[in-house]
Amino acid sequence: MIKTTSLQIKSASGLPILLDYTYDDEQTLHQVALFCHGYKGFKDWGAWHLIAEEFLKKGIVFVKFNFSHYGGTPEQPTEFNNLEAFAEDNYTTQVQDVNTVINWAAQYFSQHPFINLNQLTLIGHSRGGGIAVLVAAQNHLVDQLITWAAVSDFESRFPTGSAFEQWKTTGVYHVKNGRTGQLMPHYFQFFEDFKAHEQELHILNKAKTIKQPCLIIHGDQDEAVSLQNAKDLHQHLNHSVLKVIPGANHVFGMRHPWDELHLPEKTSILVQSSINFVFESQLK
């Protein structure tokens, strides 16, 4: 029987990391895919739950989690009702969160009755894809890396010019959430933390050091992260495959909420390409 287990673990900052995993209690599974959501996202956005089911059909446990400072709470996990935490988020915190979840998975699944973790695939969407690259470069428990519409550079995504100067002066910069209409705050510590850890957060330089097989998937109609990001990643990841999905946007045809029973066409291509890669890369 297919089951989904939800739980919380503590992040390095002390805030909870909400996560869930989908598995089948009628067979022992050995593959785990760990999914990192993107900017202004969360684990229960859109059709991520249907993606989890598709992975499970092929014998892969799909773990998805919320970054500790994503902006929600355990009581209302799909609402951005903790904007103070969102304002305090930064890239080093997100890298810590992913490593925390990976280390949790290695220990937790070693004692699980139906999951025996032998292979871990790290997947990241959008900003989560950039974070996944950084983690794969440092965490030996990652066996494969897959990026979905990932960013290849963090510095270029900060405000510039007068907007940057105003951010520096006032200490807070707001980005409007197009879906909810909320003004999402970022404290200036976000930029200061990046500059303090710039070498560790340089995605393309870290990509050069990755030895694991990597799959880069991007849509050629991505309105949020240009296709050039995928090409740059492909150039710097020595063991990578680049797949461009014609007509796909940044979220591969999904939206939130997703009430339909089936994945959109572009998402199905994304998922099947990813699953195929997981198994093909293990044969090489």
Side-chain angles (χ1 to χ4, degrees), residues 14-49:
L15 288 180
I17 295 174
L18 311 180
L19 61 84
D20 61 58
Y21 62 94
T22 303
Y23 69 103
D24 188 339
D25 67 358
E26 294 180 355
Q27 58 178 313
T28 299
L29 303 170
H30 303 281
Q31 300 266 2
V32 172
L34 174 61
F35 172 70
C36 312
H37 68 75
Y39 180 56
K40 292 183 290 187
F42 43 90
K43 70 179 180 66
D44 298 309
W45 184 92
W48 299 136
H49 62 294

Side-chain angles (χ1 to χ4, degrees):
M1 179 182 296
I2 295 176
K3 295 184 176 180
T4 297
T5 296
S6 301
L7 46 85
Q8 297 180 34
I9 61 175
K10 184 182 292 186
S11 70
S13 69
L15 288 180
I17 295 174
L18 311 180
L19 61 84
D20 61 58
Y21 62 94
T22 303
Y23 69 103
D24 188 339
D25 67 358
E26 294 180 355
Q27 58 178 313
T28 299
L29 303 170
H30 303 281
Q31 300 266 2
V32 172
L34 174 61
F35 172 70
C36 312
H37 68 75
Y39 180 56
K40 292 183 290 187
F42 43 90
K43 70 179 180 66
D44 298 309
W45 184 92
W48 299 136
H49 62 294
L50 295 181
I51 291 176
E53 293 178 7
E54 291 300 314
F55 270 78
L56 182 59
K57 289 177 183 178
K58 301 300 182 180
I60 304 173
V61 179
F62 197 85
V63 179
K64 48 190 175 74
F65 72 97
N66 289 336
F67 284 100
S68 61
H69 288 68
Y70 80 107
T73 62
E75 294 75 25
Q76 293 180 292
T78 62
E79 303 296 329
F80 291 119
N81 54 7
N82 188 358
L83 293 182
E84 179 65 22
F86 186 90
E88 292 286 1
D89 200 9
N90 55 54
Y91 296 128
T92 56
T93 294
Q94 294 205 348
V95 169
Q96 287 177 337
D97 284 350
V98 179
N99 279 311
T100 295
V101 177
I102 290 174
N103 293 335
W104 163 84
Q107 181 176 3
Y108 181 83
F109 290 134
S110 69
Q111 304 170 19
H112 198 285
F114 301 107
I115 303 170
N116 182 8
L117 174 57
N118 291 339
Q119 292 286 330
L120 176 67
T121 301
L122 185 60
I123 304 175
H125 174 250
S126 192
R127 184 166 82 174
I131 295 294
V133 172
L134 297 177
V135 173
Q138 63 177 240
N139 196 314
H140 72 280
L141 296 176
V142 176
D143 297 296
Q144 293 99 19
L145 169 67
I146 300 177
T147 65
W148 295 343
V151 301
S152 63
D153 174 71
F154 286 142
E155 185 169 23
S156 64
R157 310 195 74 82
F158 284 114
T160 58
S162 60
F164 177 82
E165 293 302 322
Q166 184 176 10
W167 187 22
K168 184 177 181 180
T169 300
T170 63
V172 62
Y173 176 79
H174 290 91
V175 175
K176 187 174 183 178
N177 187 319
R179 181 177 62 84
T180 68
Q182 292 170 283
L183 292 177
M184 312 286 284
H186 296 285
Y187 292 153
F188 194 65
Q189 64 80 28
F190 188 15
F191 179 77
E192 292 176 320
D193 181 82
F194 171 78
K195 296 304 290 185
H197 303 92
E198 191 167 3
Q199 295 305 311
E200 303 102 284
L201 297 173
H202 195 292
I203 297 172
L204 294 181
N205 282 349
K206 292 299 180 181
K208 295 177 184 177
T209 70
I210 291 178
K211 297 180 175 59
Q212 301 98 317
C214 310
L215 173 64
I216 303 157
I217 305 182
H218 218 100
D220 67 0
Q221 299 300 312
D222 193 323
E223 72 288 358
V225 179
S226 74
L227 180 58
Q228 187 59 48
N229 286 260
K231 294 177 180 178
D232 291 341
L233 284 171
H234 183 46
Q235 181 179 356
H236 288 78
L237 286 163
N238 294 319
H239 307 284
S240 66
V241 175
L242 172 61
K243 180 175 180 59
V244 178
I245 301 179
N249 64 6
H250 187 58
V251 290
F252 302 92
M254 289 182 285
R255 63 181 181 275
H256 184 79
W258 186 262
D259 299 322
E260 300 181 31
L261 298 178
H262 302 286
L263 292 171
E265 176 190 3
K266 307 303 182 185
T267 307
S268 292
I269 296 172
L270 171 81
V271 171
Q272 291 307 313
S273 299
S274 299
I275 291 171
N276 290 342
F277 174 80
V278 169
F279 291 106
E280 290 170 0
S281 66
Q282 293 169 15
L283 298 176
K284 297 179 180 178

